[in-house]
Amino acid sequence: MPIRNLPNYADKTNMKILRTPDHRFDSLADYPFEPHYTVIKTHDGSDLRIHHLDEGPTDGPILLAMHGQPVWSYLYARMIPHLVKAGIRVIAPDLPGYGKSDKPAAREDYSYQRQVDWMNRWLVQNDFSKLTFFGQDWGGLIGLRMVADNGDRFDRVAMGNTGLPYSPNVPQEIVDEILAFRAGPEKITMASMRKQVSKMNGFGGEDPYSGIRKFAYWQKYTWDAINPPAGIIASSMMETRNKLAVALELAMVNLGLSNISPFGSSISKAFEAPFPSAAFKMAVRAMPSQVPSIPDRSLEAQKKAWDFFSEFEKPFLCVGAGDDPVTNGFEKQFLAQVPGTKDQPHEMIGGGHFFQWTKAEKLSEILSRFIKSNN
């Protein structure tokens, strides 16, 4: 009998890459989809296997649907039946570090640029084209860069609860403050983090640096946590749960026993499934700190992407929740700068950060209509 819950190194040449055992996904509810795998080469020649779903009519218009952090393509499980019924072919990848995709094990593996490079190679290797893009959270940060790098492969763009952060003018004293806080000794609990993040109203407002400061609690919490409870974090934004059950589930996660916890909901179990142990959670820990809320090495690439979208005349739709503290107001910069947003039916539909789950039917209808009305 194989030993479970130990790191399985899929490639031992350079990068350490973990692969979640298939049995972790055996009992998922409402995820009857066939897996598809693509092996790409990383910067150092390692093999990295990326998983995606491919559902719906092969001759239908293609929606490339990309998830964020700390979730995976399971986030689209409720939307896929609606989209397929509307005649849409849905391609939904798991970003490296999540779901059924391989999981690089080191913090430095998750630079913003490397993640864009990985997904660009996946896109080109599969030769997907004539795409409508939809991205949320990190799915937007990475996916919008993919659009900018492969513009001829995309016919339309939709985005929600995400952005393309570009922050060249943040004063050095704010940068120093944020970096010192993130590296400091203060202990951030999940409760204290959520209290601060809930006070955000996007990254704008009267105090333009208030959002950056509050978002830093999320960045510090995820990195310091070692074993951040991905399932609890995701499910808390998708369903109402008993507080005692959540506390008991969190205790099991902290003890490294999430795989045998009887306290998780079906949703929390689904979003914890890709992570047999803390060793598999480097993406969950590392990616928030890669969001360029302060100037970093992504500045030049972000500017290049914004230059691209400032001349993007293909249909561009902003559809979001409008009640997500982290991304409220995300649409304003795009409506002001992207020509393709003109005369599109932009809409905020509620549902919180993971509105693909909470507003699955409504969001599916909007995206289907957007695709069909812009042929």
Side-chain angles (χ1 to χ4, degrees), residues 144 159-164 201-203 306 316-324 326-338 341-342 345-349:
L144 290 170
M159 59 176 290
N161 297 353
T162 188
L164 190 60
N201 188 24
F203 285 89
W306 269 112
F316 194 113
L317 179 70
C318 296
V319 52
D323 59 0
D324 171 33
V326 177
T327 63
N328 282 344
F330 76 89
E331 73 282 1
K332 294 178 182 178
Q333 188 174 9
F334 292 87
L335 297 180
Q337 292 187 232
V338 182
T341 62
K342 186 178 180 180
H346 312 289
E347 188 174 357
M348 299 297 120
I349 63 174

Side-chain angles (χ1 to χ4, degrees), residues 26-335:
D26 286 348
S27 59
L28 293 182
D30 302 317
Y31 193 81
F33 312 117
E34 290 295 318
H36 300 264
Y37 294 103
T38 305
V39 177
I40 66 162
K41 291 291 185 182
T42 66
H43 67 287
D44 62 0
S46 298
D47 288 338
L48 183 69
R49 192 178 76 167
I50 298 176
H51 166 259
H52 71 272
L53 303 179
D54 188 343
E55 297 291 321
T58 56
D59 60 348
I62 304 175
L63 177 70
L64 172 59
M66 291 181 59
H67 70 84
Q69 182 268 1
V71 294
W72 56 293
S73 59
Y74 190 86
L75 181 63
Y76 289 98
R78 286 185 168 183
M79 290 182 63
I80 288 172
H82 297 296
L83 291 164
V84 169
K85 185 177 180 180
I88 307 298
R89 179 183 172 191
V90 183
I91 305 293
D94 291 336
L95 295 174
Y98 299 93
K100 296 184 178 182
S101 289
D102 284 349
K103 297 165 180 68
R107 186 178 196 175
E108 59 268 21
D109 296 332
Y110 291 97
S111 71
Y112 193 167
Q113 187 61 54
R114 282 193 185 177
Q115 294 179 78
V116 173
D117 291 344
W118 293 337
M119 294 309 296
N120 275 340
R121 288 169 188 151
W122 169 85
L123 177 70
V124 172
Q125 196 160 317
N126 281 286
D127 198 25
F128 292 131
S129 61
K130 298 182 179 179
L131 299 170
T132 298
F133 170 75
F134 175 74
Q136 177 261 346
D137 192 89
W138 263 99
L141 270 71
I142 295 170
L144 290 170
R145 289 274 301 275
M146 292 167 64
V147 175
D149 290 341
N150 304 273
D152 58 338
R153 294 182 179 272
F154 293 87
D155 292 344
R156 306 164 205 87
V157 171
M159 59 176 290
N161 297 353
T162 188
L164 190 60
Y166 178 56
S167 54
N169 299 318
V170 177
Q172 187 60 46
E173 60 265 28
I174 300 297
V175 174
D176 293 343
E177 174 191 333
I178 297 300
L179 294 177
F181 170 74
R182 282 164 37 180
E186 183 177 348
K187 176 68 174 177
I188 307 298
T189 65
M190 187 163 70
S192 62
M193 174 274 295
R194 291 180 66 178
K195 182 178 180 179
Q196 293 295 326
V197 172
S198 69
K199 296 177 182 178
M200 289 181 66
N201 188 24
F203 285 89
E206 294 183 7
D207 178 357
Y209 308 120
S210 174
I212 294 174
R213 289 186 173 102
K214 295 186 187 314
F215 188 72
Y217 279 81
W218 172 240
Q219 294 173 312
K220 181 172 177 57
Y221 168 74
T222 48
W223 178 248
D224 289 352
I226 305 299
N227 189 16
I232 295 174
I233 291 168
S235 66
S236 69
M237 290 183 270
M238 299 180 194
E239 62 180 344
T240 301
R241 297 189 59 193
N242 179 278
K243 291 183 179 180
L244 177 59
V246 172
L248 292 170
E249 183 183 6
L250 181 59
M252 296 291 280
V253 172
N254 290 337
L255 291 170
L257 300 174
S258 61
N259 58 315
I260 60 172
S261 171
F263 304 111
S265 68
S266 61
I267 297 175
S268 68
K269 289 178 180 178
F271 288 107
E272 191 70 23
F275 312 114
S277 72
F280 288 75
K281 291 184 175 179
M282 187 54 69
V284 178
R285 295 180 61 202
M287 284 174 65
S289 297
Q290 293 296 323
V291 175
S293 54
I294 56 178
D296 65 11
R297 284 176 288 182
S298 69
L299 272 180
E300 183 178 345
Q302 297 298 89
K303 182 183 184 302
K304 181 180 177 182
W306 269 112
D307 289 344
F308 170 86
F309 283 111
S310 294
E311 299 180 356
F312 189 83
E313 297 183 347
K314 295 177 183 179
F316 194 113
L317 179 70
C318 296
V319 52
D323 59 0
D324 171 33
V326 177
T327 63
N328 282 344
F330 76 89
E331 73 282 1
K332 294 178 182 178
Q333 188 174 9
F334 292 87
L335 297 180

